């Protein structure tokens, strides 16, 4: 393809990060930290954050679930939350079950925070730019991108694939598993936000317990055809607004445009079924309306690259932290499955023992790679391990590790596969990452991040 297109621009950078989701932004921030290398971050949409700003408002994975929560993530992910905290755009949602305590933020503010942090680190950050092809070079890759100006070529000595769908790895010829190939792929969700909710009335009427009961009654009586009688409808960091993760769309590929079109249409249809239910059946929602649907349908998994290591369910359930770990995870397996009858269910499985496991460095190195890494929801994991290790505190941590690794590999002239993981872990430690089980239980009832609730 490279030969048949006219290039409007050709550029060279040391490190290119593809995709400005939670993983890609943290990768670029870490890669640019020492200021030695030119770092470029490209993103196909007009704003940063990926799922973190397109459809969500809660970082899970900072804290382990259960009665004795521990904070197991630090470094750049902390700096992101600190920056949100500084503008009053974050509060904690304590929770002992589910995925544990959530760090709830204002997603529109988060877009501006990502902008600010990237600018401060001197990242060359380019929106409205889509990776469409890749050609291997002696050292690194030529990445062909498309924007309104036409086609461009970015030659990079190191590349971090943070595209969520492993677009770079696919185009560069690395191996991967497509979700649905072995186990059923997780379902998709169009999230939506409602305004003018009277949360006082809602809580007085019984809150979440009441909501679940009303859902069951409404479906049983045939009043509302809700596709799922569970999910999260939670307070946002914006007055009288709630955010909802309830829609479930199963059985569509997240990689094919026709299938994605059908999924988007179905997701929107379901969202308005929920709106009517909320307005008619849930105290506090009588005058509430949907004010925003997710920018696109939320796709939980598509391509998962085969890495030097592969995180498996057994690794998660062994609750061990190896000497090659680059981040920790304590989130349960949360598998949003399709059921044979056409419905969906969520399967939960908690990590036993310490409740915490380590993710090996090899899970972010595509098999056979010398100069590329893969982070975020397309990292190397089996379906069920991925269902545990996909929360944003973990995707940000993977990004941070890959950013430091790319910078280290240039500095020490190491290949991705041969990189000294000991040095990388030292850098991670020095920069606040958590790589061992914290001795003390996190106090989530007070402290900076908890104070900004409206
Ligand atoms: C419905 C849903 C609910 C979830 N709920 C939560 C939750 O409440 N809390 C939580 O912590 N986690 C949650 N998760 C999981 C979590 O959101 C994701 O695993 C995580 O955000 C993935 O981050 P990422 O950076 O790897 O990918 P993404 O956020 O998908 O970012 C990838 C970025 O790359 C860009 N991109 C893609 N292809 C290209 C290309 N070719 N060229 C240029 N740019 C490209 C995309 O536009 C995007 O910005 C949820 C996921 C879903 C789908």
């Amino acid at each position: 393809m490279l030969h048949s297109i006219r290039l409007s621009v050709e550029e060279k950078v040391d490190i290119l990060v593809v995709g400005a989701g939670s993983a890609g932004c943290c990768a670029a921030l870490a890669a640019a930290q020492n200021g030695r290398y030119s770092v470029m971050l490209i993103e196909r949409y007009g704003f940063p954050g990926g799922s973190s700003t397109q459809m969500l408002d809660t970082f899970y994975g900072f804290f382990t679930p259960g009665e004795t929560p521990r904070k197991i993530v630090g470094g750049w992910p902390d700096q992101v939350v600190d920056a949100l905290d500084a503008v009053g755009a974050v509060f904690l949602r304590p929770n002992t079950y589910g995925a544990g305590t959530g760090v709830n933020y204002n997603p529109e503010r988060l877009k501006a925070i990502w902008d600010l942090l990237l600018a401060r680190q001197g990242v060359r950050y380019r929106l409205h730019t889509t990776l469409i092809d890749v050609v291997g070079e002696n050292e690194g890759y030529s990445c062909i991108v498309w924007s309104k100006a036409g086609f461009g070529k970015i030659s990079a000595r190191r590349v971090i694939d943070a595209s969520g769908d492993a677009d770079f790895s696919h185009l560069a010829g690395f191996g991967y598993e497509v979700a649905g190939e072995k186990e059923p792929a997780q379902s998709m969700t169009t999230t939506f936000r409602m305004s003018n909710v009277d949360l006082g009335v809602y809580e007085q009427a019984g809150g979440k317990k009441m909501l679940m009961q009303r859902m069951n009654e409404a479906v049983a009586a045939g009043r509302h055809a809700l596709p799922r009688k569970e999910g999260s409808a939670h307070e946002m960091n914006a007055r009288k607004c709630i955010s909802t993760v309830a829609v479930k769309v199963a059985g569509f590929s997240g990689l094919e445009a026709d299938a994605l079109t059908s999924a988007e249409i179905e997701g929107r249809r379901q969202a308005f079924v929920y709106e009517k239910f909320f307005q008619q059946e849930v105290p506090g929602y009588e005058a509430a309306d949907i004010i925003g649907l997710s920018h696109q349908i939320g796709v939980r998994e598509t391509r998962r690259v085969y890495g030097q290591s592969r995180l498996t369910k057994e690794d998660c359930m062994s609750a061990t932290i190896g000497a090659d770990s680059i981040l920790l995870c304590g989130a349960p397996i949360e598998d949003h499955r399709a059921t044979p009858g056409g419905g969906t269910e969520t399967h939960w499985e908690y990590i036993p023992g310490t409740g915490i496991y380590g993710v090996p460095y090899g899970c972010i190195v595509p098999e056979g790679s010398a100069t590329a890494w893969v982070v975020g929801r397309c990292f190397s994991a089996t379906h069920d391990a991925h269902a545990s290790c996909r929360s944003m505190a973990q995707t940000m941590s993977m990004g941070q590790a890959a950013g430091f690794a790319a910078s280290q590999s240039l500095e020490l002239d190491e290949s991705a596969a041969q990189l000294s993981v000991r040095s990388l872990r030292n850098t991670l430690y020095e920069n606040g990452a958590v790589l061992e089980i914290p001795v003390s239980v996190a106090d989530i009832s007070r402290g900076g991040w908890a104070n900004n609730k409206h």
Side-chain angles (χ1 to χ4, degrees):
M1 177 173 180
L2 184 60
H3 306 290
S4 60
I5 59 176
R6 202 154 26 108
L7 297 172
S8 58
V9 62
E10 295 192 38
E11 292 165 286
K12 282 190 166 63
V13 294
D14 292 319
I15 301 170
L16 176 69
V17 182
V18 180
S22 51
C25 285
C26 284
L29 291 168
Q33 184 172 303
N34 66 16
R36 260 180 232 146
Y37 303 108
S38 56
V39 178
M40 184 183 274
L41 171 63
I42 58 166
E43 165 58 45
R44 68 177 156 159
Y45 291 143
F47 58 90
S51 310
S52 75
T53 51
Q54 283 166 17
M55 65 195 74
L56 299 174
D57 71 342
T58 309
F59 293 133
Y60 284 120
F62 274 95
F63 301 97
T64 56
E67 295 298 332
T68 53
R70 284 179 163 74
K71 183 169 175 295
I72 53 164
V73 161
W76 272 107
D78 272 359
Q79 293 201 45
V80 174
V81 182
D82 287 345
L84 284 160
D85 193 32
V87 292
V90 71
F91 65 85
L92 295 187
R93 273 199 293 125
N95 202 354
T96 55
Y97 58 94
T101 289
V103 179
N104 189 294
Y105 55 84
N106 182 316
E108 302 307 326
R109 275 289 196 160
L110 179 56
K111 290 176 184 169
I113 295 291
W114 289 126
D115 287 342
L116 181 80
L117 295 175
L118 292 164
R120 269 196 205 147
Q121 289 302 307
V123 173
R124 286 169 69 190
Y125 160 47
R126 192 166 296 157
L127 300 172
H128 294 290
T129 302
T130 306
L131 175 80
I132 57 158
D133 203 5
V134 174
V135 180
E137 283 184 346
N138 288 341
E139 191 203 16
Y141 295 91
S142 279
C143 293
I144 308 303
V145 298
W146 178 85
S147 71
K148 289 286 178 185
F151 298 103
K153 181 168 101 167
I154 304 166
S155 298
R157 296 165 68 200
R158 302 289 184 270
V159 177
I160 300 173
D161 183 354
S163 63
D165 299 314
D167 285 11
F168 168 83
S169 303
H170 162 68
L171 294 166
F174 291 114
Y176 53 80
E177 178 186 339
V178 178
E181 236 171 49
K182 296 185 179 165
E183 296 91 354
Q186 293 213 46
S187 56
M188 303 180 191
T189 300
T190 302
T191 64
F192 60 89
R193 299 162 189 173
M194 293 182 81
S195 71
N196 205 26
V197 180
D198 191 329
L199 284 155
V201 169
Y202 171 76
E203 288 302 336
Q204 245 177 4
K208 181 157 181 162
K209 200 167 164 207
M210 172 273 300
L211 174 62
M212 296 300 128
Q213 198 181 327
R214 298 276 165 119
M215 281 180 165
N216 278 296
E217 286 167 5
V219 172
R223 290 194 298 273
H224 298 276
L226 304 180
R228 185 186 173 209
K229 294 168 288 182
E230 55 180 10
S232 175
H234 57 260
E235 184 178 3
M236 292 186 71
N237 188 279
R239 286 170 189 86
K240 300 184 87 177
C241 291
I242 62 106
S243 171
T244 302
V245 183
V247 163
K248 280 217 162 183
V249 180
F252 294 99
S253 161
L255 295 172
E256 289 159 25
D258 283 344
L260 266 174
T261 304
S262 302
E264 295 281 9
I265 293 167
E266 173 59 12
R268 284 191 278 274
R269 186 195 69 74
Q270 288 185 18
F272 287 100
V273 172
Y274 279 102
E275 182 192 50
K276 200 164 169 197
F277 157 76
F278 275 108
Q279 290 166 340
Q280 293 181 349
E281 308 250 351
V282 185
Y285 281 76
E286 295 83 356
D289 296 293
I290 285 185
I291 49 154
L293 301 174
S294 48
H295 181 85
Q296 67 149 80
I297 193 164
V299 178
R300 290 186 170 82
E301 54 171 348
T302 51
R303 301 184 185 107
R304 279 178 278 105
V305 172
Y306 287 116
Q308 223 176 29
S309 311
R310 196 153 186 80
L311 190 72
T312 64
K313 179 178 174 181
E314 291 68 39
D315 296 330
C316 306
M317 292 299 156
S318 73
T320 51
I321 301 169
D324 57 350
S325 297
I326 49 160
L327 65 128
L328 302 184
C329 182
I333 290 177
E334 181 188 346
D335 189 353
H336 297 254
R337 292 173 174 174
T339 50
T344 50
E345 64 176 27
T346 307
H347 168 77
W348 295 89
E349 217 171 317
Y350 284 82
I351 312 302
T354 61
I356 301 169
Y357 62 88
V359 178
Y361 169 71
C363 293
I364 62 164
V365 181
E367 211 169 41
S369 163
T371 54
W373 291 262
V374 60
V375 292
R377 68 180 167 86
C378 47
F379 84 118
S380 179
T382 58
H383 167 81
D384 31 23
H386 177 268
S388 160
C389 196
R390 65 188 178 86
S391 292
M392 292 185 280
Q394 278 65 44
T395 56
M396 288 192 278
S397 300
M398 288 180 213
Q400 136 173 293
F404 287 136
S407 164
Q408 177 182 317
S409 90
L410 284 171
E411 197 172 333
L412 304 179
D413 197 22
E414 296 173 318
S415 83
Q418 304 297 327
L419 186 119
S420 161
V421 181
R422 179 188 275 238
S423 299
L424 174 61
R425 278 168 53 91
N426 284 342
T427 308
L428 286 165
Y429 266 125
E430 282 161 16
N431 285 281
V434 182
L435 298 177
E436 283 167 5
I437 298 177
V439 183
S440 55
V441 173
D443 184 356
I444 53 174
S445 62
R446 58 200 175 88
W449 293 356
N451 289 338
N452 298 313
K453 202 164 177 175
H454 283 300

